[in-house]
Each structure stands twice: as structure tokens, then as C-alpha cells.
Amino acid sequence: MRRTTLLALLSVLLLPAGTAAAAPVPTPSPAVRDFGNGPERNEEAALVEDATAALKAQAAAPYHHDKTRGYPRKNQLPLPPENPADASIKLGLIPHHAIAAKLNALQALGDRVSAEVLGRSAGGRDLYFVTVTAPESPAEVREQERLRRQIESGRKVPKNRYKTPIFINGNIHGNEWEGTDASLRVIEELATSPQAATLLKRARLYFNITANPDGRVLGQRPNGNGFDLNRDMITASQPEARAMRQIMIDTQPVAMLDLHGYVNGTLIEPTTPPHGANYEYDLFITNTYANGLGMEAGVNALGYTPEKDGVFPVQIPFRDSEEGWDDWPPIFTPQYAPFHGAVAAHTVEIPLRVNGSDYTNLPVEELRRRSRINTDVAAAAVRATYGHVLANHDKLIADQTEVFRRGAAGEPSRTVPLGIVPGFGPEDVYTTTYPRGYVIPEGTPAAARLVDHLIANDVEVERAILPFRAGGRFYPSGTYVVDMRQPKRGLANVMLEPGADISPRVDAMYDISGWSHALLWGAGVTSVRDLRVLAEPVRSAASTGYVPHGDGALALKVADGRDAQALNALLARGVEVTWAGDTATLPRSARAAAREVAQRYGVRFSRAGTAGGPKLAPVRIAAAASADELFTLREMGFAVTPVSTTLANAGFDWNAVDVLFVASGLSYTALNPAAKAALDAFLAKGGVVTRGGTGATFNAAAGLLTVTSVAGRGDANGVVRMASGEHGFVYSPRWFTGLGPEVKAEQTYEAFVSGHWRPNQDGSGGQDAAKGQAAVVSGQDERGARVVLFGTEPMFRNHPKGLFAQVARALYSTSQ
């Protein structure tokens, strides 16, 4: 019987400082994540400093697993300089600078361990990837790759010839350290143990030693760009997420563990409902639950007890809880892995907290005691998993093959039988309806971006050779087509479908419930129920850059974030630009520069009429914003200087700023008199763009636009349709009422499309209350400040890329 609350699941049960043998003291955590103050919506995010490393890492070539060299590979890893400030050292754990030397030593122990650098983090630190297997010749490696591809196509292979791949991901949250140390311990055991010989002839084990070296060194959850990497998998905005994605594509694991902390007792998935509707869930739940039970036995067998050690028995959310720890969104690593064939995938939350206030306040000896136990627990989970895979080798290969076979055959989504595992009931049943295909019109930067993203995720995309009809519409040659009869149709569909409103089915969700590349990336995607088209596979999108012939002036409509990138690049070069409405106009003398940026960013210029509007200069932004917003603004090419209440009170130079962006970390009422006077002077000549609750509060306190801000339920999130027919994204949504005569509604909520948005207990704050209300407003206050207020989330986690242009247009317009 499932519990009725998740409080026990998320409880952090800790020993008082310095009392290792005392009874643990329960410290319950809230059952639902606080969406207003999560890791990417915090005050500290305003202090993220520089985008240089981020942009360098973003441009780095993706990692690809070498499928031709034999094993072992005996790479000598370069040694980084020692960093005595590494946060791991206090816990008695391995610092990042010592990992390479450790891996070099492990490779020298025999012929089972191969280590390599698979890329670099946002902060420029090496990412280490380890393969543990019995020796293989290059011919044997090629044979394994041939069999892997055969499985991926949904065809059976001789199971005694294929090695089951297992993927262990460590330390994705930087201040959840011990997965790294457990991985190194298990690698050493496998490198030297005679008993491991049988396993390594039947399996390959892949270890991403630390998925987040920046966070590990700095003692923080996010990476060096301020991103929670375990929310980035279907967006892949960060280099670490792209590396993990490529590992899963190249290795195709049957089982995957993501090692986290801290929940006591140890939390081991599978999850509570709602369950991702695009999985082959009958295959997933049977294998994931079986392996979860095996890990539970392995962890509990360590013998740690609440009385002696402060360690409680394992919890399995599917079995032990009602809701609030779900596998609905594919943003998490273990929820993304099944789309690449993992039929057992788990988050593992080790028990004893050593981060946050405990890291700061507890004695070092107590922290190290806890870290030793946590390392033991994580290592036990890894051992249990490879034991389960060895014992179920043939079944796991057969089930992975069946996942891909169903996709390639285009079979309907299956309804999982009740009772398929103990406790699987009607509340666990989620299905979807697959279309015959998706059509993506070609020729725009948004379409090219989406096509390239699908291909990067190993989704098959084709391009029509001849014109065709589908769904009653005519499409020209060159149109992109995603045929849903393909092995990874689950991943294609989870990205391209609109999603579902699951508000009626559950009250508590762990994180976002709505996302849609089709609706939020600006590419104009259409699903079709019939598809007859002559098409050929594409490896990358065709170039979309265009400058019309002739010698006249040019116009660039800012309809996409890449248009903003191109425009900012032109402004940085000193090109003369005027701005009116949503369009920039360039003189004929700028044609060479236009051709250059058109090729680089894929943007499309048109012929301009008479230039209108004032001259546009490079926009200088002071941003009190979250990390993802800072990243996105800089990605679009804006010059951004972080600001906060603290920095303003210390004497911020407003003369170097054109627009203030307020979303987090700046309180007008908390400014000292001098800071308030300086800001007021800026408001008399500068522009303001705000987002969310902090922005609305700033607007009211500073006396800008005449509006009343209304808050939706705090954990509401998802995709919304606007009255204009456009789509937006909300997260802790806002809307505006009581609009003054100086205020214009730029966007109005019409309907909630997908996600989770319930009203508060008193009936307020729901999606029905928001319908018909202003979601985005603009105006000019009596001082002359030009202002735009967003109640939506147009830059959330760098995901809704088709909405970035809304922010860019607001910044250009308010800067004038």
C-alpha cells in the first residue's frame, strides 16, 4: 500500500552534530518543490559573472564514443593543477584535480579499465569517461557496434555475443558528491577482482565519473553557468548535458543509474505517477522495479541502522508513496535514458546530508563519517545493478530490442496491464496516441535549429524530395518530415507533441509538467495522421541564411533569438540600424555585413522600404536575473551586467546602462536613499523589462505602470495558448488586471495546453482565473520610462527558444 504523503520520502533524517551514536532527528522537507525559489530562481543567481567560458564550451565539438579502437586503451590523462579550495576535500572525498591521476593508476592495474576525457564543463574542467570491460580487439569492438545497431533497429541478435551496456552517472548535482567516489571504488574492484571476469565478458560498464566538476569543486548544485544539469536533458543547453546525451546514444545502456543525495532512507526509483506516456512502460516498470528491489536488498544488507548510524531503510517511491516523485518530464537524466533503450533507469538518493548548512556547521569528522556511509551506499547500488544485469542478461537485451522494434513498426501505444508488478493500479496507467508523423516547414532559423536538435538526439529526420500532401495540406519539396515509424519514436514524440494537461490526475508534481519543442521553439510543427512522401534522410538542416539581391536597404524582422544574435552582431560592428515595431532596417552599405551574419546565424533579410524609427544602438542591460536568464541574454549577444540589491546599494553605475531587467534579487524598497535616487534618475531616461513576482513587485514599488499583479498557484507550469494564437510558457504564472490608460496588453491568456495548473485551495490562482487576462503588458510611465512586464517565462532554463525574441524586442523597444 502506498503512503499518502511524500514527506517521509523527502525527509532528511540527520544525527545532531558530533553525536554519531545518538538517535536521528527527523527534519522533514516539503512534499512539493518550492517553484518560486528553486535552484534556478534564486537571489544568488544574479551574481553569475561571465559568459565567456559558457560560450566557448557551447561551441565545443560534441563527444563521440570511439567505436573502432580496442580495449584497453591506456590513455594517459593530463593532470590539472592542484586546487586546495576544492569543496570535496573537507568531506574526505577525492578533489577534481586528483581524479585524472587516480584513473591513470587504475588503468595501470591491468587490462580492464580505459579512461578518456569526453569534453569540458561550462567552467572548462575535464569530464572523465571510463569503460570497464574484458579486453577486446578492434574487430571485437566493431562487432559489438554492429550488434548494437542491429538492436537499435529492433532486430534480434545472438544474446551470447552481445555485451550488456551499463551506464553509471555520478555527481550530476555538484554538492551531492559521493557518486564519484563510489564509482572510483567500484572501478578499482572490477579492475582487480578475479570474480569480475565473468561479468566483464558479458557486460561493459560505463562511468561518467563526475557529470558536474564545476559544482563539485565549488560545492554547489548547478554547473559553472548556474544550470541544474538534471533539468537540461531535452534542451541540452549545457556542454555537460550534451556529453551525457552522447554517451547514452553511443553506448545504448540497458541499465542506468544517476547517483544523487540526500534522502534518508535511501531513495531508489521507480517513481510515483504520473508516468511518462511515451515510454514502453510495461518493459520499463518490470525491469526498473526488479532492479530497484535488488538495490534495496544490497543497500540494506550493509547493516546500517537508524539507532547506530542514523541510516534508515531504503524507500522506493513507486511502492511507498502516492505522488510527488514522478517520471513524467524527460528533463531528468534517468527519465531521458529510456528513450535510448534503458529498460531500467534510476535516480538513487543516498542518505546522509553533507551539503548546505550541514557542510558549513557540522564538525569535519561527522561530515566524513556521513560521506563514508554515503559512498558505501552508492557503491552497493552499483554492485547490485551489475549483478542484476548479469543475472538477467538475455531478458534485458530482448526487452531493449522490443522497445526499438515497437517504434520501428509504428505499433500503437500499449496500455500496461494492471498488476504487472505488485501495486500497479489504474493511477499508474498513462498512454499516448502517436501521429503518423510530424511536418516541419523549412527555411527559417527556428526550423533549422529544431531539425538539428532532433538529429543530435538521434531522432531520424527526412527531407521531402517532391511536393506532397498530408493532413489535407500541401507541402513543398524541402519540407522536413519526422516519420514516427522509427526506433526512437518515443523521444521524437515526447519532444514534438503538445503534451497533456494532467492537472486533474495528481496534485503534486516534482518539477515541470509541460514542455513542447513543437509549440515553444517557433518552428511551426504540424502532426499528421497520414504520410505519403518521397523523402531522404538528412544529417543536418539546410542553410537558412538569405539576403535578397539588389543594392537597396535591408530589413530584419526579429522573430527568433537568432535574429537578435545577428542584429546584436551588426550593432557591435557599428552598423547603422533603425528600429520600428519589431523590425530593424539597415542601409545599403551594410549588405556585406548582412551577408556575413545571415550565413553565420541563418537569418533571413528582406528588402526594406523607407527606413523608419529612431536609431538603434547596442543595448546595455543591467540584469537582476536568474542564471538561465543571464545565459540566454548573453547567448543572444546582449551586453549584460549583473545587478542586485547589494550591488545597487554599493553604488551601481547606471550611466553605463540602457535597460534594467528585473526578475530576481533586486528589491526597490530595500535600496538605501542614495541607491534609490540613482535608480530613479535612471528610470527617467532608461527602460525596464521585468519577469515574474520579483519584477511585478519592483514595478509597484517603483511606481512604474498602473497594473495589479495577480499570482497563479505557485507550482503551476506548462504551455499556454495566447489569444493571438501564439504559445507561451508559464512557471508560477502571473497576470495583470486594472490596467491604466498608459498600459497595453501585449499578450492575453486564452487556454492552458499542457502541464499542471490547479487552483489554490480557496479556488484562486487557477487556469480558469487567468483566461482572458493580460499575460504581458507594456507602457510608459509619467517619468518617461518605457516598461514591459512579463507574467510568463520566455527564457525558462534556456528552453522555450521560440519565445526569446519577445524579450529581445522588449529590450530594443524600451532602450530607445
Side-chain angles (χ1 to χ4, degrees):
M1 180 66 65
R2 292 182 181 169
R3 300 174 190 169
T4 57
T5 176
L6 194 65
L7 287 175
L9 185 71
L10 295 182
S11 293
V12 184
L13 301 167
L14 304 174
L15 288 171
T19 56
V25 177
T27 309
S29 299
V32 179
R33 182 176 301 284
D34 183 343
F35 276 68
N37 294 286
E40 295 185 77
R41 289 292 182 275
N42 56 34
E43 300 297 300
E44 291 76 17
L47 302 180
V48 173
E49 289 292 338
D50 188 83
T52 304
L55 297 178
K56 284 182 179 178
Q58 186 180 38
Y63 159 77
H64 287 279
H65 186 58
D66 191 332
K67 300 161 187 171
T68 59
R69 291 177 60 196
Y71 292 106
R73 295 183 173 175
K74 300 295 184 182
N75 298 309
Q76 191 69 16
L77 302 179
L79 305 183
E82 183 176 346
N83 178 11
D86 189 305
S88 312
I89 296 172
K90 183 177 181 179
L91 302 175
L93 302 172
I94 189 167
H96 183 262
H97 61 257
I99 292 175
K102 176 69 173 178
L103 293 176
N104 286 338
L106 290 174
Q107 291 185 99
L109 288 176
D111 57 7
R112 298 175 178 175
V113 179
S114 299
E116 53 197 302
V117 175
L118 61 86
R120 287 186 173 81
S121 68
R125 296 178 174 90
D126 285 346
L127 301 168
Y128 300 114
F129 180 62
V130 172
T131 304
V132 184
T133 189
E136 297 177 24
S137 69
E140 289 171 324
V141 169
R142 291 193 296 271
E143 172 69 358
Q144 288 297 304
E145 173 59 15
R146 185 186 69 79
L147 294 172
R148 185 198 70 77
R149 288 185 177 275
Q150 189 170 324
I151 290 170
E152 185 185 11
S153 69
R155 293 176 293 149
K156 296 180 181 179
V157 300
K159 298 182 182 64
N160 62 342
R161 287 166 52 192
Y162 186 62
K163 291 187 171 185
T164 45
I166 304 167
F167 176 37
I168 310 300
N169 201 47
N171 197 201
I172 191 170
H173 289 149
N175 62 353
E176 298 166 12
W177 287 269
E178 293 91 344
T180 292
D181 298 79
S183 294
L184 292 170
R185 178 187 295 180
V186 171
I187 291 168
E188 186 164 5
E189 293 168 358
L190 295 174
T192 56
S193 168
Q195 290 75 28
T198 300
L199 168 70
L200 300 181
K201 289 178 181 178
R202 300 271 284 167
R204 285 180 182 166
L205 285 84
Y206 300 104
F207 295 84
N208 188 15
I209 300 297
T210 169
N212 185 0
D214 298 346
R216 183 177 187 84
V217 170
L218 300 172
Q220 64 184 31
R221 180 184 177 95
N223 73 344
N225 287 338
F227 275 72
D228 185 331
L229 297 173
N230 204 39
R231 306 292 185 272
D232 194 40
M233 289 312 299
I234 61 161
T235 305
S237 69
Q238 300 301 296
E240 301 93 336
R242 293 192 290 275
M244 287 181 275
R245 177 182 70 190
Q246 200 62 47
I247 289 171
M248 286 184 269
I249 291 171
D250 289 342
T251 67
Q252 202 168 290
V254 298
M256 186 266 176
L257 298 188
D258 206 24
L259 300 174
H260 290 254
Y262 302 93
V263 175
N264 194 359
T266 300
L267 180 148
I268 296 175
E269 291 182 347
T271 72
T272 66
H275 302 303
N278 288 283
Y279 303 139
E280 303 300 329
Y281 212 79
D282 57 330
L283 304 174
F284 181 79
I285 188 61
T286 51
N287 289 292
T288 302
Y289 192 46
N291 191 44
L293 293 174
M295 284 191 280
E296 177 184 40
V299 171
N300 288 344
L302 294 171
Y304 292 119
T305 67
E307 298 77 17
K308 177 171 63 73
D309 309 291
V311 178
F312 282 69
V314 167
Q315 302 174 65
I316 297 177
F318 171 80
R319 181 191 65 198
D320 299 332
S321 302
E322 285 290 331
E323 59 182 30
W325 193 289
D326 55 89
D327 57 23
W328 182 251
I331 59 175
F332 313 113
T333 316
Q335 277 61 57
Y336 176 80
F339 296 114
H340 295 294
V343 290
H346 310 258
T347 291
V348 177
E349 298 272 357
I350 54 182
L352 299 179
R353 196 175 77 174
V354 294
N355 59 10
S357 60
D358 295 281
Y359 183 92
T360 303
N361 298 326
L362 290 180
V364 170
E365 57 271 22
E366 171 60 12
L367 290 171
R368 294 187 173 187
R369 183 193 73 85
R370 294 183 181 188
S371 284
R372 286 193 295 271
I373 291 173
N374 289 336
T375 303
D376 289 345
V377 169
V382 176
R383 293 188 202 101
T385 294
Y386 70 62
H388 177 82
V389 171
L390 182 61
N392 296 276
H393 177 276
D394 292 359
K395 180 181 186 302
L396 291 165
I397 294 174
D399 285 355
Q400 184 182 77
T401 306
E402 175 65 5
V403 168
F404 295 135
R405 187 202 66 77
R406 292 178 188 178
E411 293 186 357
S413 176
R414 298 196 180 192
T415 299
V416 183
L418 302 184
I420 189 171
V421 297
F424 195 95
E427 71 280 3
D428 293 297
V429 177
Y430 286 80
T431 60
T432 191
T433 301
Y434 294 111
R436 181 61 182 82
Y438 290 95
V439 177
I440 306 173
E442 61 90 30
T444 66
R449 175 178 56 233
L450 179 57
V451 166
D452 286 339
H453 185 73
L454 290 167
I455 294 170
N457 280 272
D458 208 31
V459 171
E460 296 171 3
V461 182
E462 298 174 299
R463 200 171 188 213
I465 298 172
L466 297 174
F468 66 100
R469 297 188 71 86
R473 292 178 56 184
F474 173 83
Y475 293 96
S477 60
T479 300
Y480 296 107
V481 174
V482 180
D483 188 334
M484 289 299 287
R485 291 179 181 172
Q486 61 171 291
K488 296 186 179 179
R489 59 100 180 258
L491 182 54
N493 205 53
V494 82
M495 290 195 290
L496 294 177
E497 68 177 351
D501 180 0
I502 57 171
S503 308
R505 295 200 62 174
V506 292
D507 183 63
M509 294 289 293
Y510 187 73
D511 203 271
I512 65 166
S513 312
W515 61 91
S516 176
H517 296 66
L519 299 180
L520 298 177
W521 279 40
V525 180
T526 303
S527 64
V528 294
R529 296 297 172 190
D530 60 276
L531 186 63
R532 297 175 185 175
V533 56
L534 181 63
E536 59 184 358
V538 295
R539 295 187 176 182
S540 62
S543 174
T544 57
Y546 174 74
V547 176
H549 295 298
D551 60 358
L554 297 171
L556 178 64
K557 182 177 180 179
V558 177
D560 188 84
R562 289 190 178 174
D563 297 323
Q565 283 182 295
L567 179 53
N568 285 331
L570 292 169
L571 291 170
R573 291 179 55 169
V575 173
E576 182 179 321
V577 176
T578 59
W579 177 259
D582 58 5
T583 301
T585 301
L586 286 65
R588 56 188 296 184
S589 59
R591 277 183 163 266
R595 283 191 290 270
E596 182 180 326
V597 298
Q599 182 178 8
R600 182 185 309 168
Y601 300 108
V603 301
R604 300 180 66 84
F605 289 86
S606 61
R607 291 183 176 87
T610 305
K615 183 178 178 180
L616 182 66
V619 180
R620 303 167 301 173
I621 303 167
S626 57
D628 50 336
E629 290 168 320
L630 289 175
F631 182 89
T632 301
L633 290 170
R634 287 166 167 162
E635 185 180 59
M636 286 193 287
F638 287 104
V640 183
T641 303
V643 68
S644 64
T645 304
T646 300
L647 292 174
N649 282 333
F652 189 81
D653 182 11
W654 294 101
N655 292 318
V657 173
D658 303 303
V659 180
L660 169 63
F661 181 88
V662 182
S664 176
L666 181 62
S667 169
Y668 185 85
T669 57
L671 297 177
N672 61 41
K676 193 172 293 185
L679 178 54
D680 286 340
F682 165 79
L683 294 175
K685 61 186 178 73
V688 179
V689 178
T690 80
R691 187 270 304 163
T694 298
T697 299
F698 180 89
N699 173 76
L704 300 175
L705 299 187
T706 307
V707 298
T708 298
S709 172
V710 182
R713 179 166 141 163
D715 64 348
N717 67 91
V719 181
V720 291
R721 186 172 66 250
M722 302 298 179
S724 62
E726 298 174 303
H727 289 87
F729 183 81
V730 294
Y731 182 96
S732 298
R734 294 260 163 179
W735 55 92
F736 305 99
T737 63
L739 276 57
E742 83 282 14
V743 181
K744 174 185 177 184
E746 299 287 348
Q747 286 190 333
T748 302
Y749 292 120
E750 181 176 88
F752 189 57
V753 176
S754 58
H756 187 265
W757 187 351
R758 283 189 168 191
N760 297 309
Q761 289 187 348
D762 64 2
S764 66
Q767 52 183 277
D768 290 340
K771 186 175 182 179
Q773 302 296 337
V776 182
V777 299
S778 67
Q780 188 167 345
D781 79 347
E782 59 185 16
R783 288 168 294 193
R786 297 159 299 282
V787 183
V788 176
L789 311 179
F790 284 92
T792 58
E793 284 274 358
M795 296 188 288
F796 183 78
R797 295 178 183 168
N798 197 241
H799 177 72
K801 298 182 185 296
L803 312 183
F804 294 175
Q806 296 178 13
V807 179
R809 293 194 299 264
L811 293 167
Y812 293 135
S813 297
T814 58
S815 72
Q816 295 181 320

